Amino acid sequence: MNPNWRWFIGGVCIALALLLLAAIFVAYQMPELLIDWANLRYCG
Amino acid sequence: MTSTNNTWRTPLVILTVGCIILTLSMGVRHTAGLFLQPMTTEHGWSRETFSFAFALQNLVWGLGSPFAGAIADRYGAGRTLLIAAALYVLGLVLMSVSPTPLTLDLSAGLLIGLGLSGTTFPVIMGVIGRHTTPEKRSLALGIASAGGSFGQFAVLPIGQMMISTYGWQSALVLLACGVGLIAPLAYAMADGHKPSAGAGQSVVEALHEASRERSFHYLFWGYFVCGFQTAFIMLHLPSYLVDAGMSANVGMTAVALIGLFNIFGSFYFGWAGGRSSKKNLLVWIYGLRAVAIFVFMLIPLSTATAWIFAAVIGILWLATVPLTNGLIAQIFGLRYMSMLTGVVFLGHQLGSFLGAWLGGRIFDETGSYSLAWSISIGLSILAAICSWPVNEKPLARLSAAT
C-alpha cells in the first residue's frame, strides 16, 4: 500500500476511534444511567 | 511476532479476535447492576437477594479461572472458549426467566461466573502470549487489556439503552446473543498450541513449582490489592462524592473518566512493559495509586479534583493486567500461562470481593469512608513493596530449554 494512503487510513481510524470514545463518554450523561448507577454498587 | 502454522491465524488476527472477545465478555458483565432495579421490582426480591447472586458470580469467576486456564492449557483455548461462551449464554438466558432467588444464583451466579472464567483474561492472554515474541508480548497484552477496558466502558450505556427500549428480559437475551458471538470467534483462538519449554511438566508440577517461587506470591498479593482498590473505588466513589454534597452527575462522569483513561493506561503500560522492567512499572503503579489517593484525601474536594483523581486512577486501573500476565509468562514460560494467570486472578477476585464488601461495612460502622481510603493507601504501599523484589528472570528450567 502507498505510504500516503497508509497514513491517511490510519489517521481516519484514529479519528473515528476518538469520536466513538467521545460518543460513549457523552452516553454516560443519560439520566436513566445516573439513576441506575446506584444499583451497580450492589453488583460489583 | 511469532508465526503460526495456519496462514490466516496470524498474531494480528489472534490479537484482534482476543480483544473482541474481551470486549464482549467484560462489557456484558459490567451491565449487571443495570438489571437490579427492574428484576427486584418485578419479582419482589430484596436487593440483597440480587447482590448475593453477583457476589457468588465474582467468587465463581475467581475460583473457576485457574481451572479454566488449566483446561485451556491442556485441551486448547478454542474448546475452553466455546464451552465457557455456551455457559455464559445459557446463564444470561436463564437469568431472564429466573423465577426464584435460587435459580438466579444458579444462572447469574454459577453459570455466568463459570462463563466468565473461560472467556476473560487468563484464557485470552495465554493464547496472545503464545503468539507473540517476548519483545512484543507486553504491548500485545496491553492492547488486549485495553480491549477489556473498552468493553467495560462501552457496553454499559448500550445495555442501558437496550433495557430502556426493549425491556430487561429482551435486553438480557440480546446481550446473550452478543456473548454468543464468542463461539465462532473461538475458532480463531483454537491455536492447538505446541509447548516447547516445560512440555514435560504436569499441571500439578507447574503449580508446585510456582508455589515455591516467592515472585509468584508477590504477584498474587499485588493483584489482590489491585482487585481491592478497583472494586472499592468503582463501587463506592460515586457514593463518596454524593455524600460530600455533589450531584450524581459528578459521580457518573468520574466513573466514565475512569473507564476512558483506563483504555489509554492499559495500552501505555503494556507498551512500556516491553521497553522497561515490568516489576518496576508495577512498583510505580501501586506507588502512584497510594499517592493519588493520599492527595485526593488531603486537598479540598471539588468537581475538578474528583475528575482529575478519576482520570489518574483510570490510567492506573487495569494497567497491572499486561504487566502481571507478562511477568508470569516471562518467569514461568508459556506452557501453563493461562492456569498460572488464573491463579493470580483468583487473588484479584478475592481482593475485589473484600474491597466491595469492606468498603460498605466500614461505612456502615463508622459513617464515613475515611478508614477504607486509608486501608487502600496502606495496601497500595504494601503492593509496591511486594512488587519490588519480584525476580523477573526466567526460571532455570526455561533458560536450559532455550
Side-chain angles (χ1 to χ4, degrees):
Chain A
M1 189 190 286
N2 184 318
N4 289 335
W5 274 106
R6 195 180 294 170
W7 279 107
F8 175 73
I9 292 169
V12 168
C13 287
I14 290 169
L16 287 174
L18 290 175
L19 271 176
L20 177 67
L21 291 177
I24 296 166
F25 187 80
V26 170
Y28 271 76
Q29 313 304 316
M30 287 192 299
E32 312 90 84
L33 204 61
L34 293 180
I35 293 161
D36 285 323
W37 175 252
N39 303 334
L40 291 171
R41 287 185 290 143
Y42 288 86
C43 312
Chain B
M1 295 194 180
T2 56
S3 62
T4 54
N5 292 333
N6 310 85
T7 49
W8 67 274
R9 210 175 264 138
T10 61
L12 185 62
V13 167
I14 283 174
L15 181 59
T16 307
V17 171
C19 282
I20 296 170
I21 292 173
L22 282 173
T23 299
L24 290 168
S25 57
M26 296 289 287
V28 171
R29 163 62 185 85
H30 212 55
T31 62
L34 301 176
F35 294 91
L36 184 144
Q37 199 156 22
M39 285 189 78
T40 51
T41 304
E42 182 149 333
H43 293 296
W45 295 335
S46 66
R47 290 194 166 200
E48 282 68 30
T49 302
F50 193 84
S51 313
F52 180 78
F54 282 88
L56 182 68
Q57 183 193 88
N58 274 335
L59 286 179
V60 171
W61 183 5
L63 290 168
S65 289
F67 294 99
I71 293 167
D73 288 332
R74 177 72 182 81
Y75 299 103
R79 289 171 193 169
T80 311
L81 281 164
L82 192 64
I83 294 165
L87 291 172
Y88 202 156
V89 169
L90 190 65
L92 285 165
V93 172
L94 290 178
M95 184 181 158
S96 73
V97 291
S98 287
T100 65
L102 180 65
T103 51
L104 183 71
D105 293 340
L106 291 173
S107 57
L110 186 66
L111 288 174
I112 298 179
L114 289 173
L116 283 164
S117 302
T119 55
T120 48
F121 291 120
V123 174
I124 302 297
M125 296 304 207
V127 185
I128 292 171
R130 280 191 291 273
H131 287 269
T132 45
T133 57
E135 300 78 49
K136 291 188 176 172
R137 186 169 298 138
S138 187
L139 174 62
L141 296 180
I143 293 170
S145 295
S149 306
F150 175 73
Q152 290 187 343
F153 178 59
V155 182
L156 189 67
I158 294 171
Q160 178 58 54
M161 278 186 270
M162 283 179 177
I163 293 171
S164 304
T165 313
Y166 305 109
W168 67 269
Q169 280 179 308
S170 302
L172 275 172
V173 175
L174 285 170
L175 290 173
C177 293
V179 171
L181 292 173
I182 294 175
L185 292 172
Y187 185 61
M189 305 299 272
D191 59 347
H193 81 275
K194 294 176 177 60
S196 50
Q201 218 180 18
S202 69
V203 171
V204 177
E205 285 168 346
L207 271 176
H208 189 58
E209 180 183 64
S211 70
R212 280 179 298 167
E213 286 296 321
R214 282 187 185 176
S215 297
F216 191 72
H217 293 273
Y218 294 145
L219 291 172
F220 181 93
W221 290 110
Y223 232 21
F224 173 89
V225 171
C226 179
F228 181 96
Q229 291 177 324
T230 51
F232 167 67
I233 294 172
M234 189 56 102
L235 300 188
H236 297 286
L237 179 66
S239 310
Y240 175 77
L241 297 175
V242 170
D243 289 345
M246 296 184 178
S247 71
N249 198 18
V250 175
M252 200 61 218
T253 303
V255 168
L257 283 169
I258 290 175
L260 186 64
F261 280 87
N262 180 20
I263 299 168
F264 301 119
S266 300
F267 178 81
Y268 170 75
F269 279 99
W271 172 80
R275 291 170 171 259
S276 55
S277 161
K278 294 181 185 66
K279 64 112 177 171
N280 286 350
L281 287 169
L282 280 176
V283 173
W284 274 105
I285 289 170
Y286 290 122
L288 285 172
R289 281 188 189 183
V291 172
I293 297 170
F294 182 71
V295 171
F296 185 53
M297 293 293 99
L298 211 61
I299 58 175
L301 187 60
S302 68
T303 302
T305 58
W307 288 350
I308 291 168
F309 172 72
V312 171
I313 281 291
I315 288 172
L316 306 170
W317 201 252
L318 288 189
T320 56
V321 174
L323 300 173
T324 304
N325 289 301
L327 277 170
I328 297 274
Q330 193 171 312
I331 300 168
F332 298 98
L334 300 169
R335 176 68 183 94
Y336 289 107
M337 181 183 169
S338 290
M339 180 188 66
L340 296 177
T341 52
V343 173
V344 291
F345 186 71
L346 171 61
H348 189 279
Q349 287 308 94
L350 292 174
S352 295
F353 181 77
L354 198 65
W357 172 75
L358 203 61
R361 184 65 196 255
I362 286 172
F363 183 82
D364 289 344
E365 292 289 329
T366 65
S368 94
Y369 284 113
S370 298
L371 180 60
W373 285 115
S374 302
I375 291 172
S376 201
I377 292 170
L379 284 175
S380 213
I381 293 167
L382 282 176
I385 293 169
C386 264
S387 302
W388 183 253
V390 168
N391 185 356
E392 295 184 287
K393 287 181 184 168
L395 294 178
R397 165 176 65 74
L398 296 170
S399 305
T402 51

